């Protein structure tokens, strides 16, 4: 049997796409290899949001080139956003690559590889051929959790971001198709789903429906006990979604609400279309509507023209909101975006100082939030053994915090855990009683 190996870079959307790629390769009759060296088909699912994943990918590709030199029969496939961004020159840059595909052309990969994995060289779908990968078989990493794509592409014009250029305009997936997938997943025993889109709250505008309606419909699916979604854009976070979150039992008490910057001036230059005050009002409305809500965010430091005062405003918002966690990024100029052409680039050493300060502020905030949970009881969905202590189990709360705990349950169980300790990223505790699965 021929074997494949998939390496994934970047975001949850890519991790989900990789599950589809793997499922599709398995349907072609290939098995999963433990390493690139053991694989007949080597796939890279790439990201180009920042420079770092680009560099990591280049290092991996060097290794694949050597493997191909030793065994020219190996097929090298490169997919995802980097492939799409470099489509004009990918095969010139890397002549040993056999097949390339963009984020919207995963369904074609199987056709191109052919049964058994013999690839015609150089296929690459065009933007117009974009398709949802939802109908493809899926190789899920976890039996009780699944991602479900609700839309592809993005209509925003954030001046730092390459996503609209590589993933195209936003297209919503039909609600019937999404619900059929959720039904199928529930039948297979999935208890938690995460709805995925670049801007989930603008879902449905092109179809005459809305994200709030979708949340309510998914909430009604028997067997789905937790619903998450990522990412919403603050500009589109309307009251109807807050009400749906509050009223739907399965929708978790967690919102990932990208801030990007706490300075209204910088937000304007980023073309985010909200300012600091509007963002804080939204946080107030969310907290008023959904008691016990966890808030996480994305923040960029060192955007062109960001002054010390602008950065301080970001730290102030972190402290004022009291985030439960944040993905923090150093601004990375992406070729072709508006911000990359700005003459006011912030020096690397300044970015470094700011990111360290920001990470500290986020950790302080998250630690304070997690400490508030100590002494209480949390419902935990068990995922497996703890990664840090083999005698413990690991799972996540409805608010999306990882818990390491002493207990006897199996993956997929929902159990009550009494929390007795906290760090900035995890909780620790002891299982009270397992709720029947
Ligand atoms: N669509 C989502 C959103 O708007 O929140 C996520 C987009 S992106 C995959 C995830 C995060 O990457 C963004 O929220 C932003 O913080 C960060 N990001 C995007 N472009 C960046 C850049 N050029 N440099 C640094 N961080 C960037
Ligand atoms: Fe990029 Fe902005 Fe779209 Fe998010 S909303 S994907 S940051 S352009």
């Amino acid at each position: 049997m021929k074997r494949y190996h998939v390496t994934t870079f970047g975001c949850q959307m890519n991790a989900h796409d990789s599950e589809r790629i793997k499922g599709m390769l398995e349907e072609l009759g290939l098995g999963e290899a433990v390493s690139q060296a053991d694989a007949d088909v080597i796939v890279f699912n790439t990201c180009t949001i920042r420079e770092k994943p680009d560099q990591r990918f280049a290092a991996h590709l060097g290794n694949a080139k050597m493997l191909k030199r030793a065994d020219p029969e190996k097929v090298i496939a490169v997919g995802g956003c980097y492939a799409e961004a470099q489509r004009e020159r990918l095969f010139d840059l890397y002549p040993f690559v056999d097949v390339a595909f963009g984020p919207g052309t995963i369904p074609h990969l199987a056709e191109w590889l052919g049964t058994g994995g013999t690839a015609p060289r150089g296929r690459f779908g065009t933007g117009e051929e974009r398709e949802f990968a939802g109908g493809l078989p899926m190789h899920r990493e976890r039996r009780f959790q699944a991602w479900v794509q609700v839309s592809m592409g993005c209509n925003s014009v954030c001046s730092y971001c390459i996503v609209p250029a590589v993933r195209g305009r936003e297209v919503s997936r039909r609600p019937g198709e999404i619900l059929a997938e959720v039904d199928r997943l529930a039948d297979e025993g999935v208890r938690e789903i995460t709805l995925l889109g670049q801007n989930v709250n603008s879902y449905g505008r092109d179809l005459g429906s809305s994200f709030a309606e979708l949340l309510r419909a998914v909430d009604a699916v028997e067997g789905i006990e937790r619903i998450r979604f990522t990412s919403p854009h603050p500009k589109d976070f309307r009251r109807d979604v807050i009400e749906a979150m509050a009223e739907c039992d399965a929708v978790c008490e967690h919102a990932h609400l990208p801030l990007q910057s706490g300075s209204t001036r910088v937000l304007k230059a980023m073309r985010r279309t909200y300012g600091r005050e509007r963002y804080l009002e939204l946080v107030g409305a969310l907290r008023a509507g959904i008691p016990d809500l966890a808030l996480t965010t994305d923040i960029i430091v060192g955007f062109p023209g960001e002054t010390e005062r602008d950065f301080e405003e970001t730290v102030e918002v972190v402290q004022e909101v009291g985030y439960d966690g944040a993905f923090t990024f150093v601004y990375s100029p992406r070729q072709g975006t508006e911000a990359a052409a700005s003459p006011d680039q912030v020096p690397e050493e300044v970015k470094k100082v700011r990111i360290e300060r920001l990470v500290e502020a986020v950790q302080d905030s998250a630690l304070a939030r997690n400490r508030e949970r100590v002494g209480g009881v949390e419902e935990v969905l068990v995922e497996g053994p703890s990664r840090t202590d083999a005698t413990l189990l690991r799972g996540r709360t409805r608010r999306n915090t990882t818990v390491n705990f002493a207990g006897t349950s199996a993956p997929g169980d929902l159990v009550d855990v009494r929390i007795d300790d906290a760090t900035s990223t995890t909780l620790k505790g002891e299982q009270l009683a397992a709720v029947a699965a």
Side-chain angles (χ1 to χ4, degrees):
M1 182 201 268
K2 291 208 175 195
R3 282 177 299 170
Y4 72 85
H5 186 272
V6 178
T7 308
T8 309
F9 302 86
C11 61
Q12 278 181 325
M13 190 75 88
N14 264 21
H16 174 53
D17 286 348
S18 286
E19 290 188 337
R20 297 289 187 192
I21 293 169
K22 289 181 179 187
M24 214 171 59
L25 295 173
E26 284 166 18
E27 196 150 280
L28 284 181
L30 280 78
E32 188 168 15
V34 287
S35 68
Q36 289 171 5
D38 293 324
D40 303 285
V41 177
I42 299 175
V43 183
F44 295 98
N45 190 15
T46 62
C47 169
T48 193
I49 279 282
R50 285 162 295 124
E51 209 177 343
K52 244 196 200 141
D54 277 14
Q55 289 166 347
R56 267 184 61 216
F57 165 61
H60 271 268
L61 211 49
N63 185 44
K65 181 183 178 181
M66 278 178 2
L67 292 170
K68 174 119 180 159
R69 197 175 288 154
D71 175 5
E73 293 296 301
K74 276 191 199 296
V75 173
I76 315 275
V78 178
C81 291
Y82 175 84
E84 185 73 44
Q86 299 293 335
R87 55 182 303 140
E88 303 296 337
R89 48 189 214 126
L90 191 90
F91 296 112
D92 294 335
L93 282 173
Y94 305 110
F96 53 93
V97 170
D98 298 291
V99 187
F101 57 102
T105 49
I106 293 171
H108 296 294
L109 179 63
E111 270 163 52
W112 298 340
L113 286 174
T115 306
T118 36
R121 198 183 168 283
R123 302 300 298 271
F124 211 134
T126 67
E128 296 76 60
E129 281 182 71
R130 286 187 309 153
E131 276 176 41
F132 284 107
L136 298 177
M138 182 156 51
H139 167 116
R140 273 206 327 277
E141 299 299 336
R142 292 203 181 120
R143 272 177 46 223
F144 303 96
Q145 291 160 320
W147 288 301
V148 175
Q149 189 180 1
V150 303
S151 61
M152 62 178 158
C154 180
N155 288 352
S156 295
V157 287
C158 302
S159 59
Y160 50 83
C161 186
I162 193 80
V163 167
V166 290
R167 289 197 178 248
R169 301 276 301 165
E170 183 179 276
V171 179
S172 301
R173 202 173 156 202
R174 302 216 153 266
E177 218 184 283
I178 298 172
L179 289 170
E181 186 177 345
V182 175
D183 271 334
R184 212 166 41 239
L185 290 166
D187 286 346
E188 289 168 16
V190 167
R191 304 184 94 173
E192 175 179 305
I193 61 153
T194 303
L195 304 174
L196 283 182
Q198 294 301 338
N199 176 3
V200 284
N201 317 51
S202 62
Y203 169 81
R205 285 200 191 140
D206 47 343
L207 301 175
S209 71
S210 72
F211 187 60
E213 283 169 34
L214 183 69
L215 276 182
R216 289 182 190 277
V218 175
D219 181 64
V221 175
E222 192 79 30
I224 298 298
E225 303 191 52
R226 289 183 172 191
I227 301 169
R228 305 185 183 282
F229 55 89
T230 196
S231 288
H233 192 306
K235 78 178 163 66
D236 295 310
F237 217 124
R238 306 258 153 78
R239 180 147 293 281
D240 60 342
V241 174
I242 301 179
E243 283 167 5
M245 287 178 75
E247 290 165 21
C248 294
D249 286 344
V251 178
C252 290
E253 295 74 29
H254 172 218
H256 183 75
L257 195 62
L259 169 69
Q260 312 300 3
S261 169
S263 153
T264 297
R265 201 184 69 80
V266 171
L267 286 168
K268 196 158 184 219
M270 287 177 162
R271 302 199 183 281
R272 290 290 289 177
T273 71
Y274 57 85
R276 171 189 170 127
E277 288 316 313
R278 207 172 127 208
Y279 183 93
L280 290 173
E281 276 165 27
L282 175 59
V283 168
L286 275 159
R287 289 230 155 103
I290 305 147
D292 213 23
L293 180 78
L295 274 171
T296 54
T297 195
D298 291 348
I299 301 172
I300 299 174
V301 298
F303 181 81
E306 182 189 69
T307 63
E308 211 47 43
R309 181 64 211 132
D310 292 321
F311 173 67
E312 283 308 322
E313 289 191 33
T314 299
V315 175
E316 281 165 22
V317 173
V318 169
Q319 290 162 343
E320 189 172 337
V321 171
Y323 288 109
D324 295 82
F327 295 119
T328 52
F329 304 101
V330 169
Y331 168 71
S332 173
R334 304 321 283 145
Q335 214 185 358
T337 59
E338 187 188 341
S342 164
D344 296 328
Q345 300 296 325
V346 174
E348 290 305 317
E349 28 334 331
V350 175
K351 289 182 188 170
K352 188 163 176 283
V353 174
R354 288 185 189 165
I355 192 83
E356 282 169 8
R357 172 101 205 283
L358 179 66
V359 167
E360 228 170 83
V362 168
Q363 279 172 349
D364 289 350
S365 164
L367 180 61
R369 295 282 290 165
N370 281 349
R371 280 193 176 141
E372 288 170 17
R373 316 307 293 181
V374 173
V377 173
E378 303 276 337
E379 181 202 87
V380 173
L381 179 61
V382 183
E383 292 178 354
S386 159
R387 294 201 176 104
T388 50
D389 180 343
T391 65
L392 300 179
L393 292 172
R394 186 192 76 240
R396 268 179 310 131
T397 66
R398 284 179 64 91
R399 303 170 81 255
N400 210 25
T401 313
T402 298
V403 186
N404 294 307
F405 64 100
T408 52
S409 294
D413 285 348
L414 279 171
V415 298
D416 285 335
V417 174
R418 195 188 40 248
I419 305 301
D420 51 37
D421 204 359
T423 70
S424 61
T425 50
T426 53
L427 300 173
K428 199 169 171 193
E430 192 176 341
Q431 180 179 336
L432 292 183
V435 177

